[in-house]
């Protein structure tokens, strides 16, 4: 389907880290209505995907040509502790939007996750069988399955470790690392036994647009090129911030964080974009190039003499963010 300014695109759950990039990519090119339960920008309206009737009204009034569902509870530990809400948001919400798109006879886009695999194998392509471990992963996988079985005209994109949104919206690893540095940490403890594929939100949004326009419905892995573990990402990010000689990244195993991060996580959630490559639709950069681009959103000014130890010198780094 050709997307033009006359194309009406309804985006649910658009207030988050991916939503920002999707809104930025789609709104200049199409006519967008963006909604979320967290109305954190003036271009967002309130709509709760758990509420079928309200969603039907919100979507029905806008008369979209396509619905994009980004809404989810994405904090794995929160999902373990609030399982009912995780199922209502991630699974029932996905059902609600698929049912509404079905009634309106329009396509639906659903975002899934590399976290639906169990990590028993090293790398997963689009056709490998999921075996979700956590409540988050189980509820997301349910959403995938419902969308696939209910709607012929669907796009499902599986993302890996999302990077994007900067300080205000990034709830994930890169911003967590950044916030530790901002608080003055000179030694970061990072796990090296969890492997995955980072996924840059801006490239992901551009890729979604491209695949939607291709009209080739179905499920796609869509992650950056290359693979890594969390330690590799932290080392590269610190280097890109120009703090390689001031901030030490120390390898630890997942046991180090087992109380804080108690939700089950696969040892590997590495994806490859087999279908996107085969159909010449892969526009995802290598993760190091993506991280270099993303790191530009974070500004660090180092002033004063170098810190005498890694644990001192809190006042020597001031950190800011360039909004794009
Ligand atoms: N982040 C990742 O690493 C990652 C990886 C793979 C796939 N994904 C998927 O990518 C999609 C976008 O996630 P994201 O990374 O942008 O996460 P995010 O920043 O948490 O954005 C999700 C948005 O959905 C909102 N939301 C939660 N419950 C809702 C409800 N009942 N109705 C409407 N909106 C609701 C959230 O609001 P609150 O902030 O108030 O909860 C948030 O604004 C999700 O489907 C997610 O599962 C994410």
């Amino acid at each position: 389907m050709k997307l033009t300014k006359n194309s009406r695109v309804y985006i649910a759950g658009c207030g988050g880290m991916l939503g920002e990039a999707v809104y930025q990519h789609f709104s200049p090119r199409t006519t967008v209505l963006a909604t979320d339960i967290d109305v954190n920008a003036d271009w967002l309206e309130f709509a709760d995907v758990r509420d079928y009737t309200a969603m039907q009204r919100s979507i029905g009034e806008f008369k979209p040509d396509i619905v994009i569902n980004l809404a989810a509870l994405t904090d794995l530990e929160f999902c373990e502790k609030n399982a009912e809400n995780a199922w209502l948001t991630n699974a029932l919400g996905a059902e609600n939007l698929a049912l509404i798109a079905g009634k309106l006879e329009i396509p639906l886009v659903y975002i899934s996750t590399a976290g639906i695999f169990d990590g028993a194998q090293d790398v997963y392509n689009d056709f490998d069988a999921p075996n979700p471990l956590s409540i988050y992963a189980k509820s997301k996988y349910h959403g995938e399955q419902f969308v696939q079985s209910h709607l012929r005209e669907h796009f499902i994109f599986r993302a890996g470790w999302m990077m994007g949104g900067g300080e205000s919206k990034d709830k994930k690893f890169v911003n967590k690392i950044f916030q530790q540095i901002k608080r003055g940490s000179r030694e970061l403890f990072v796990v090296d036994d969890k492997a995955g594929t980072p996924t840059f939100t801006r490239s992901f949004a551009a890729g979604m647009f491209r695949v939607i326009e291709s009209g080739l419905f179905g499920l796609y892995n869509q992650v950056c090129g290359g693979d890594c573990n969390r330690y590799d990402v932290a080392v590269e990010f610190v280097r890109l911030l120009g703090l390689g000689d001031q901030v030490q990244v120390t390898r630890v195993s997942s046991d180090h964080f087992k109380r804080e991060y108690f939700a089950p996580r696969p040892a590997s959630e590495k994806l490859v974009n087999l279908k996107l490559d085969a159909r010449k639709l892969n526009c995802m950069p290598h993760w190091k190039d993506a991280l270099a681009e993303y790191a530009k959103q974070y500004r660090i000014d180092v002033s004063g003499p170098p810190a005498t130890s890694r644990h001192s010198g809190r006042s020597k780094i001031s950190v800011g963010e360039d909004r794009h």
Side-chain angles (χ1 to χ4, degrees), residues 93-153:
E95 287 197 13
N96 286 343
L97 267 62
L99 288 168
I100 293 165
K103 279 196 176 171
L104 295 174
E105 297 181 342
I106 56 174
L108 176 104
V109 179
Y110 176 73
I111 311 302
S112 189
T113 169
I116 59 173
F117 295 105
D118 60 13
Q121 72 189 57
D122 185 34
V123 182
Y124 294 90
N125 71 35
D126 317 58
F127 302 100
D128 283 314
N131 182 27
L133 304 177
S134 66
I135 299 285
Y136 170 71
K138 287 175 185 171
S139 59
K140 291 297 297 180
Y141 184 45
H142 177 89
E144 253 193 30
Q145 289 179 301
F146 190 86
V147 168
Q148 280 179 317
S149 62
H150 192 75
L151 288 175
R152 191 185 68 79
E153 296 199 342

Side-chain angles (χ1 to χ4, degrees), residues 12-19 35-38 40 47-50 69-74 85 89 110-114 136 140 158-163 169 171-172:
C14 200
M17 55 194 287
L18 179 59
T35 64
D36 202 289
I37 52 166
D38 179 7
N40 54 50
D48 184 339
V49 296
R50 293 167 297 188
N69 180 13
L70 308 179
L73 292 174
T74 55
N85 197 7
T89 307
Y110 176 73
I111 311 302
S112 189
T113 169
Y136 170 71
K140 291 297 297 180
R158 285 186 185 145
W161 295 339
M162 209 74 94
M163 313 189 295
K169 294 211 170 180
K171 298 169 182 158
K172 294 293 177 174

Side-chain angles (χ1 to χ4, degrees), residues 55 61 83 107 115 130 141 145 171 180 207-208 219 230 242 262 267 276 311 322:
M55 286 312 300
E61 282 172 6
Y141 184 45
Q145 289 179 301
K171 298 169 182 158
Q180 283 184 52
M208 284 170 60
L219 181 150
R230 294 288 193 190
F262 54 83
L276 290 178
H311 307 285
D322 280 334

Side-chain angles (χ1 to χ4, degrees), residues 16-313:
M17 55 194 287
L18 179 59
E20 182 172 89
V22 172
Y23 182 79
Q24 281 174 7
H25 194 87
F26 279 68
S27 63
R29 297 169 174 87
T30 62
T31 300
V32 167
L33 177 61
T35 64
D36 202 289
I37 52 166
D38 179 7
V39 182
N40 54 50
D42 57 9
W43 43 267
L44 281 165
E45 287 184 16
F46 181 87
D48 184 339
V49 296
R50 293 167 297 188
D51 184 341
Y52 177 82
T53 309
M55 286 312 300
Q56 195 180 29
R57 195 181 321 115
S58 176
I59 295 174
E61 282 172 6
F62 183 64
K63 297 187 176 48
D65 299 299
I66 185 166
V67 172
I68 299 178
N69 180 13
L70 308 179
L73 292 174
T74 55
D75 180 321
L76 271 65
E77 278 64 40
F78 183 87
C79 289
E80 294 296 318
K81 287 195 280 193
N82 301 274
E84 191 173 302
N85 197 7
W87 283 107
L88 291 176
T89 307
N90 299 351
L92 186 83
E95 287 197 13
N96 286 343
L97 267 62
L99 288 168
I100 293 165
K103 279 196 176 171
L104 295 174
E105 297 181 342
I106 56 174
L108 176 104
V109 179
Y110 176 73
I111 311 302
S112 189
T113 169
I116 59 173
F117 295 105
D118 60 13
Q121 72 189 57
D122 185 34
V123 182
Y124 294 90
N125 71 35
D126 317 58
F127 302 100
D128 283 314
N131 182 27
L133 304 177
S134 66
I135 299 285
Y136 170 71
K138 287 175 185 171
S139 59
K140 291 297 297 180
Y141 184 45
H142 177 89
E144 253 193 30
Q145 289 179 301
F146 190 86
V147 168
Q148 280 179 317
S149 62
H150 192 75
L151 288 175
R152 191 185 68 79
E153 296 199 342
H154 67 258
F155 299 96
I156 296 171
F157 295 97
R158 285 186 185 145
W161 295 339
M162 209 74 94
M163 313 189 295
E167 264 198 278
S168 59
K169 294 211 170 180
D170 186 337
K171 298 169 182 158
K172 294 293 177 174
F173 183 75
V174 172
N175 198 32
K176 284 181 181 172
I177 291 288
F178 185 74
Q179 295 305 322
Q180 283 184 52
I181 297 170
K182 188 175 175 177
R183 287 195 297 270
S185 296
R186 296 302 179 90
E187 183 172 16
L188 307 173
F189 297 93
V190 181
V191 300
D192 67 355
D193 56 1
K194 291 283 184 280
T197 27
T199 303
F200 189 31
T201 55
R202 282 195 212 162
S203 316
F204 192 89
M208 284 170 60
F209 194 94
R210 189 172 176 184
V211 175
I212 292 168
E213 282 211 305
S214 78
L216 298 174
F217 296 112
L219 181 150
Y220 294 88
N221 287 355
Q222 185 169 255
V223 295
C224 284
D227 57 51
C228 52
N229 60 44
R230 294 288 193 190
Y231 172 83
D232 300 326
V233 178
V235 168
E236 185 65 7
F237 185 54
V238 167
R239 189 188 72 76
L240 288 164
L241 294 175
L243 298 174
D245 55 353
Q246 295 182 57
V247 176
Q248 178 174 319
V249 186
T250 300
R251 294 170 184 271
V252 293
S253 78
S254 296
D255 266 4
H256 187 88
F257 292 110
K258 66 180 179 218
R259 286 209 178 150
E260 199 179 337
Y261 294 114
F262 54 83
R265 287 172 169 79
S268 173
E269 45 187 300
K270 291 191 286 189
L271 300 186
V272 283
N273 304 337
L274 184 68
K275 283 175 70 175
L276 290 178
D277 280 337
R279 289 178 170 165
K280 301 189 170 36
L281 289 168
N282 188 5
C283 63
M284 298 299 286
H286 191 279
W287 72 266
K288 283 193 178 177
D289 296 329
L291 186 57
E293 186 59 31
Y294 183 40
K296 290 180 192 164
Q297 287 187 45
Y298 294 93
R299 193 182 66 247
I300 298 208
D301 298 321
V302 181
S303 56
T308 48
S309 96
R310 283 190 198 101
H311 307 285
S312 64

